[in-house]
């Protein structure tokens, strides 16, 4: 600790055991998470920072527990008091702020969801709540139209749930191992549990991605390897020479940096993909046990140590700020996204610093705040917040704050989760979700026409599935068949990001289905990207060569925020129409124009829904009074599907493409 000076070191922990490089490693972890959540293009894999946090926590806190058992001084009451001091005050402050902001700015169902997720956070079971209700952090697997991460301001508390559940189970596991196996076999038992947890994670990432991501059994190994490292077991032996320390620390930095830079939303995670960042954290921590290294000195620099000191509060506050910034873009558009990012970063650091100074440090000081005050304050806070959260749930989000018209529009934000919408899209049978196997596709139900009826086949992704109910309504004398898969643009050759079941489905469609029976029309629709244009043209030429009556449907209007939320906000503002127009996604319009031009020489008809529904950025937004055209940023409501079905009807029955709706 020699040579420390300045305001930062006056507030940093002191003592022979303090490792400033570990605070610096915390800083790297939280900054990686922050920039990943800001959707920074070059740091999409920054979510591995959470795994680095788990290793650090296991090393420091798990190591303290093991040391306490070893010297006979472990007290469960004292341990949980330290956990309450460390975790609860800042968490309660953040939850209270989110509850208030949600009441002020959220519509009823998001407020009810905040109440439910807040109760889960208070009970340290957020990870279980999101596993059961919200789908995976990267893919909405619990339901294709389930709420996305950007609509859940407390989603980040899942990691606190994992950690606190671990520290409930960890001392009990050690007690059980000591009682049944003897003190000398405790570490061996922990090693076995660690190996089992890792095996579950490695297999589970392919078998059940959501559970593997969120639940303790498949995350425990990340904390356990840190705890075992604290006992000189992983890795062993710790490097003793300056050269070996530099080599280990540099290798550790690379193993963290490379996943942060190269991983993305499509990376199967955690599983084996979590090994590099966890091993990287282990190597850096181990390198610092016997002395310094270049990487260690960088991590121990005052700026990084400071960020490490505020890292818990920074983690708590950054995600709600990002979520509610998204709400602001509804009101003010997205013309200057970099300014919003800068504002979020600045606000996150300011609030985190205040939280650390005014909340974390005072409550962690036993000399200032006694144990009874901590326990009583935690209990009182939990009761007050719990009552508020329960009231939000019981009233379905305090709906009387809004007019009936606004409530009716906002209710469509939940429409994708409801049974009628999922049934209309045939989710789980004729519309496979992201990681369904192709074997789940029910060919009998989805591809069998009614006797004596002509058949129209709809193929594509979710933007084809949402056409089906409207086509069925517009074509009562026709059997509408369906082969659709989430994220699966329906071309002869597939995009590089296509999953195996998408490949299986399109090989079946183009290799067998389309050439084995007659169709009145084959309606092809997808969430088209610029990179799809050559594949769409090739598919059209293939269909022309095979004499197939293909009809390609262009993108529907899309918005940078869910349309129901935009319309509900617009209904409360005098500049509402301009607000919706500002939020129009011009990227879809560019793709539509390119597709229209590229497909013209093929002779395959193309229907531009934007030509039918829009004049520039000014588009049809209501399918009927109080019924938005779309239920999110681009998927049709059932009413919207009926409107689009009427637009497509003439083209399907042989009229010129792009004809206006007929009665």
């Amino acid at each position: 600790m020699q040579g420390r000076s300045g305001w930062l070191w006056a507030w940093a922990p002191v003592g022979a055991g303090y490792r400033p490089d570990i605070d610096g490693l915390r800083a790297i972890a939280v900054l990686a998470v922050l920039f990943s959540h800001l959707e920074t293009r070059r740091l999409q894999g920054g979510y591995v920072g959470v795994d680095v946090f788990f290793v650090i926590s296991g090393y420091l806190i798990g190591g303290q527990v093991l040391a306490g058992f070893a010297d006979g001084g472990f007290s469960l009451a004292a341990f949980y008091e330290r956990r309450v001091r460390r975790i609860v005050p800042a968490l309660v402050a953040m939850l209270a702020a989110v509850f208030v902001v949600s009441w002020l700015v959220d519509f009823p169902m998001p407020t009810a969801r905040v109440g439910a997720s807040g109760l889960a956070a208070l009970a340290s079971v957020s990870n279980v709540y999101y596993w059961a209700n919200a789908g995976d952090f990267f893919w909405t697997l619990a339901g294709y139209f389930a709420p996305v991460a950007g609509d859940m301001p407390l989603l980040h508390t899942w990691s606190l749930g994992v950690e606190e559940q671990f520290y409930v189970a960890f001392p009990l596991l050690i007690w059980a191992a000591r009682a049944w196996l003897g003190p000398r076999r405790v570490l061996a038992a922990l090693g076995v549990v660690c190996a089992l947890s890792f095996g579950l994670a490695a297999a589970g990432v392919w078998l059940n991605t959501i559970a593997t991501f969120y639940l303790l059994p498949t995350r425990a190994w990340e904390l356990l390897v840190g705890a075992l490292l604290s006992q000189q077991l992983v890795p062993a032996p710790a490097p003793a020479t300056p050269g070996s320390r530099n080599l280990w620390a540099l290798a550790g930095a690379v193993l963290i940096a490379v996943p942060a830079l190269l991983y993305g939303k499509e990376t199967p995670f955690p599983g084996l993909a979590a090994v590099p960042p966890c091993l990287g954290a282990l190597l850096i921590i181990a390198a610092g046990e016997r002395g310094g290294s270049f990487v260690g000195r960088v991590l121990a620099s005052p700026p990084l140590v400071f960020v490490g000191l505020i890292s818990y509060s920074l983690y708590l506050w950054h995600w709600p700020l990002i979520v509610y910034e998204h709400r602001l873009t509804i009101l003010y558009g997205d013309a200057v996204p970099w300014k919003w990012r800068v504002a979020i970063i600045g606000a996150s650091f300011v609030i985190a610093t205040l939280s650390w100074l005014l909340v974390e440090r005072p409550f962690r000081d036993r000399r200032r705040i006694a144990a009874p005050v901590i326990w009583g304050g935690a209990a009182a806070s939990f009761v007050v917040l719990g009552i508020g959260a329960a009231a939000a749930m019981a009233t379905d989000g305090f709906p009387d704050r809004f007019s009936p018209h606004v409530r009716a529009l906002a209710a469509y934000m939940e429409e994708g989760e409801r049974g009628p919408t999922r049934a209309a899209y045939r989710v789980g049978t004729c519309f496979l979700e992201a990681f369904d196997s192709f074997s789940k596709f029910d060919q009998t139900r989805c591809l069998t026409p009614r006797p004596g009826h002509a058949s129209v086949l709809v193929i594509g992704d979710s933007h084809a599935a949402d056409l089906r109910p409207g086509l069925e309504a517009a074509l009562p004398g026709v059997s509408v068949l369906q082969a659709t898969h989430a994220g699966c643009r329906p071309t002869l050759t597939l995009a590089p990001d296509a999953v195996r079941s998408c490949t299986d489905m399109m090989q079946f469609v183009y290799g067998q289905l389309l050439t084995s029976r007659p169709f009145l029309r084959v309606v092809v629709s997808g969430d088209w990207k610029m990179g799809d244009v050559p594949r769409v043209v090739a598919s059209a030429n293939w269909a022309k060569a095979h004499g197939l009556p293909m009809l390609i449907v262009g993108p529907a209007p899309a918005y940078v925020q869910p349309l129901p939320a935009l319309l509900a906000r617009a209904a409360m503002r005098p500049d509402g129409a301009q607000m919706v127009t500002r939020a129009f996604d011009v990227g879809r319009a560019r793709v539509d124009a390119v597709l229209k031009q590229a497909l013209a020489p093929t002779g395959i008809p193309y229907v531009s829904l934007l030509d039918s529904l829009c004049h520039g950025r000014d588009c049809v937004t209501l399918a009927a009074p109080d019924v938005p055209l779309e239920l999110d940023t681009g998927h049709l409501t059932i009413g919207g599907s009926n409107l689009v079905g009427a637009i497509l009807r003439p083209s399907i029955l042989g009229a010129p493409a792009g004809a206006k709706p007929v009665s």
Side-chain angles (χ1 to χ4, degrees):
M1 301 294 292
Q2 297 297 320
R4 290 187 174 189
S5 62
W7 65 272
L8 171 61
W9 294 122
W11 287 346
V14 295
Y18 174 61
R19 296 262 310 264
D21 62 313
I22 292 181
D23 266 329
L25 186 58
R26 279 196 181 108
I28 297 300
V30 76
L31 290 174
V33 172
L34 170 60
F35 284 102
S36 174
H37 287 171
L38 285 170
E39 298 181 348
T40 305
R41 185 172 302 174
R42 291 187 177 87
L43 207 64
Q44 292 184 16
Y47 52 78
V48 300
V50 173
D51 306 85
V52 174
F53 272 125
F54 284 158
V55 173
I56 294 171
S57 177
Y59 176 77
L60 295 176
I61 301 170
Q64 291 172 4
V65 174
L66 287 169
F69 273 102
D71 63 21
F74 180 76
S75 164
L76 193 63
F79 173 69
Y80 286 135
E81 181 196 332
R82 289 195 299 272
R83 296 305 298 159
V84 169
R85 288 179 181 274
R86 177 74 176 94
I87 298 297
V88 171
L91 175 64
V92 164
M94 184 274 293
L95 290 176
V98 169
F99 285 2
V100 170
V101 171
S102 181
W103 188 87
L104 291 173
V105 306
D106 279 340
F107 293 114
M109 287 311 297
T111 297
R113 190 179 295 124
V114 165
S117 57
L119 280 178
L122 290 169
S124 294
V125 293
S126 286
N127 57 327
V128 177
Y129 171 82
Y130 288 112
W131 163 64
N133 294 285
D136 184 79
F137 185 69
F138 308 115
W139 305 279
T140 50
L141 298 180
Y144 193 78
F145 302 102
V148 295
D151 196 35
M152 295 182 281
L154 300 177
L155 175 62
H156 63 317
T157 60
W158 74 267
S159 64
L160 304 184
V162 169
E163 192 168 343
E164 292 317 300
Q165 290 158 28
F166 178 82
Y167 288 118
V168 169
F170 189 57
L172 303 179
L173 178 62
I174 297 173
W175 260 322
R178 288 171 66 91
W180 295 342
L181 304 174
R184 295 184 179 181
R185 294 188 175 91
V186 168
L187 295 181
L190 293 180
V192 170
V193 174
C194 180
L196 290 173
S197 172
F198 176 71
L200 282 174
V205 75
W206 301 107
L207 300 175
N208 191 325
T209 307
I210 309 172
T212 302
F213 185 89
Y214 279 118
L215 300 185
L216 176 63
T218 48
R219 290 288 192 166
W221 70 272
E222 301 181 30
L223 292 114
L224 284 169
V225 293
L228 293 172
L229 173 62
S230 74
Q231 305 303 302
Q232 304 287 318
L233 292 179
V234 180
T241 66
S244 61
R245 289 196 297 271
N246 277 303
L247 181 62
W248 281 43
L250 181 60
V254 170
L255 286 170
I256 293 171
V258 169
L261 293 170
L262 298 184
Y263 286 4
K265 294 180 179 181
E266 74 284 352
T267 304
F269 200 85
L272 294 175
V275 171
C278 290
L279 179 58
L282 286 173
L283 290 174
I284 290 173
I285 295 170
E289 287 193 331
R290 296 281 190 90
S293 67
F294 173 75
V295 170
R297 287 190 291 274
V298 172
L299 292 175
S301 62
L304 285 179
V305 169
F306 173 70
V307 175
L309 291 173
I310 67 169
S311 60
Y312 174 55
S313 285
L314 187 58
Y315 182 80
L316 284 180
W317 285 97
H318 83 280
W319 180 249
L321 288 171
I322 289 172
V323 170
Y324 286 108
E325 178 270 333
H326 289 169
R327 306 288 199 276
L328 288 177
T329 63
I330 293 177
L331 301 180
Y332 301 109
D334 65 332
V336 284
W338 67 269
K339 291 185 178 180
W340 292 117
R341 290 191 178 100
V342 171
I344 289 171
I345 293 169
S348 296
F349 272 91
V350 169
I351 297 174
T353 301
L354 293 174
S355 173
W356 176 63
L357 280 173
L358 304 178
V359 181
E360 284 193 65
R361 292 182 72 248
F363 281 97
R364 292 174 68 180
D365 189 345
R366 295 175 60 89
R367 296 168 300 179
R368 297 176 64 178
I369 301 178
V373 177
I374 282 290
W375 288 111
S381 300
F382 278 32
V383 168
V384 172
L385 291 178
I387 291 173
M393 295 170 63
T395 61
D396 289 330
F398 308 111
D400 291 341
R401 294 174 290 155
F402 302 98
S403 70
H405 174 58
V406 170
R407 292 202 302 268
L409 292 169
Y412 277 88
M413 296 170 64
E414 317 301 317
E415 184 67 21
E417 300 174 67
R418 296 176 182 169
T421 299
R422 294 178 64 83
Y425 293 171
R426 294 177 172 176
V427 175
T429 52
C430 308
F431 173 56
L432 301 186
E433 297 185 88
F435 284 90
D436 285 338
S437 168
F438 178 60
S439 61
K440 192 174 179 181
F441 180 63
D442 189 340
Q443 295 187 35
T444 301
R445 177 179 176 186
C446 305
L447 300 177
T448 302
R450 288 173 288 172
H453 286 70
S455 299
V456 167
L457 174 66
V458 180
I459 64 171
D461 58 16
S462 56
H463 296 274
D466 68 6
L467 297 179
R468 192 208 66 82
L471 292 178
E472 200 160 70
L475 304 167
V478 174
S479 289
V480 179
L481 313 182
Q482 179 181 355
T484 53
H485 186 300
C488 189
R489 274 104 68 195
T491 49
L492 186 62
T493 59
L494 295 174
D497 61 353
V499 298
R500 175 61 184 272
S501 52
C502 167
T503 301
D504 291 342
M505 175 171 281
M506 288 305 133
Q507 285 178 347
F508 165 72
V509 167
Y510 281 94
Q512 180 179 339
L513 180 61
L514 294 182
T515 57
S516 64
R517 64 173 80 173
F519 296 101
L520 176 64
R521 281 287 186 186
V522 178
V523 178
V524 180
S525 181
D527 182 18
W528 305 119
K529 314 295 184 186
M530 281 296 186
D532 295 321
V533 173
R535 289 184 285 269
V536 176
V537 172
S539 302
N541 285 325
W542 179 88
K544 187 74 171 179
H546 286 76
L548 294 175
M550 183 175 281
L551 173 70
I552 298 174
V553 179
Y559 298 88
V560 298
Q561 294 288 343
L563 183 60
L566 282 166
L567 294 175
R569 297 285 181 201
M572 298 186 292
R573 293 173 59 91
D575 63 341
Q578 293 85 352
M579 187 174 71
V580 176
T581 301
R582 283 198 304 266
F584 179 78
D585 183 355
V586 295
R588 293 282 184 91
R590 297 190 191 103
V591 173
D592 180 65
V594 172
L595 273 173
K596 190 189 314 180
Q597 182 177 8
L599 286 168
T602 70
I604 294 295
Y606 176 78
V607 176
S608 170
L609 295 181
L610 294 181
D611 285 351
S612 299
L613 294 169
C614 303
H615 296 285
R617 289 188 173 207
D618 185 13
C619 300
V620 174
T621 56
L622 292 174
D626 291 346
V627 180
L629 182 75
E630 293 163 338
L631 55 86
D632 52 19
T633 59
H635 292 100
L636 299 170
T637 60
I638 295 176
S641 183
N642 290 339
L643 178 61
V644 170
I647 291 172
L648 296 177
R649 182 175 182 271
S651 299
I652 291 172
L653 297 179
K660 296 296 182 179
V662 297
S663 58

